[in-house]
Amino acid sequence: MNRKPPLLTEEQTNALLEGTWGRTQERDRQILNFLLHTGLKISEFVKLNIGDLYTGLRVKKSLALQPAPGKMERKIPMNREAREAVAVILAFNRRRGFSLTPVEPFIVSRQRNKKDGDYRITPRQVQRIIKSLREDASLNFKTTPQTFRHTFASKMLENGADLRTLQKLLGHRSIKTTRDLYGE
């Protein structure tokens, strides 16, 4: 029998989201909010560009993730909370002087990336943001980007999604993977 993945309780989620303050931390809070409402892998999240989420006039209602070789395109519906998170993050980018052209990174780092000179946030920076917000909220619970993914999946099941739908949303190749993680 497989161990169930770690999940955030409603209280832990609220503590994380309510524990932030200030303009830059509002962006960080919206990163968490977006991850909680989309279930993206951290590698998928940091690769998002403005055009994946924003038409130039409005925030899109779903996110089409470009498939890895041998996989099918995934469509992730974005609920109101996810779309609001996108709007706040885009406003943050605009205030920081970044262009909102379709090819620009959705999440920009506060400093230029030493490796390639780009401002795209890295997975490690997202992990640090989550750790910092967890510490600010005084949570004694290891919280990672994967924890947000598992919490998203559990919420989907609680709200009536079946395992096949969840498999498609999470991008699992096999229903067995989804069943092993979230099945009864």
Side-chain angles (χ1 to χ4, degrees):
M1 166 129 180
N2 290 341
R3 236 176 14 116
K4 292 289 181 193
L7 305 172
L8 292 169
T9 65
E10 197 69 35
E11 294 79 29
Q12 291 168 329
T13 302
N14 290 337
L16 275 172
L17 294 177
E18 292 171 4
T20 60
W21 53 272
R23 194 174 263 185
T24 58
Q25 286 169 317
E26 178 60 20
R27 191 265 330 231
D28 295 349
R29 182 170 83 92
Q30 295 307 328
I31 288 172
L32 301 187
N33 214 0
F34 185 81
L35 290 171
L36 278 167
H37 290 280
T38 59
L40 294 181
K41 297 175 191 169
I42 189 72
S43 59
E44 296 167 334
F45 177 67
V46 298
K47 290 178 186 172
L48 290 175
N49 288 331
I50 302 279
D52 296 326
L53 302 156
Y54 183 63
T55 66
L57 300 173
R58 63 174 177 79
V59 175
K60 295 179 180 180
K61 291 189 178 192
S62 66
L63 169 62
L65 293 175
Q66 296 308 311
K71 287 194 169 190
M72 295 188 52
E73 180 181 81
R74 278 175 40 218
K75 277 214 181 264
I76 310 290
M78 291 198 299
N79 63 12
R80 182 180 49 82
E81 289 87 354
R83 290 191 313 270
E84 286 174 3
V86 170
V88 170
I89 292 167
L90 291 175
F92 174 85
N93 291 355
R94 190 179 293 120
R95 280 193 310 272
R96 298 271 314 216
F98 290 100
S99 166
L100 296 185
T101 59
V103 296
E104 292 297 320
F106 171 54
I107 302 294
V108 293
S109 175
R110 292 188 180 101
Q111 67 258 355
R112 192 178 292 272
N113 190 332
K114 291 178 187 171
K115 185 176 174 182
D116 59 11
D118 192 16
Y119 278 98
R120 184 178 299 277
I121 200 164
T122 66
R124 182 68 188 123
Q125 288 170 319
V126 175
Q127 291 167 342
R128 282 188 199 120
I129 288 168
I130 291 171
K131 181 182 179 194
S132 172
L133 293 176
R134 185 192 74 225
E135 289 170 354
D136 287 350
S138 300
L139 286 183
N140 296 326
F141 178 83
K142 185 173 182 186
T143 308
T144 66
Q146 193 68 9
T147 309
F148 291 97
R149 186 168 161 81
H150 293 311
T151 302
F152 165 80
S154 291
K155 293 270 189 227
M156 291 297 295
L157 290 173
E158 284 173 20
N159 291 326
D162 60 24
L163 286 177
R164 185 67 67 188
T165 302
L166 191 58
Q167 174 196 3
K168 289 178 182 174
L169 288 174
L170 295 175
H172 293 159
R173 277 186 208 188
S174 167
I175 189 71
K176 183 180 179 327
T177 303
T178 311
R179 192 179 309 117
D180 288 349
L181 285 170
Y182 307 108
E184 293 301 316

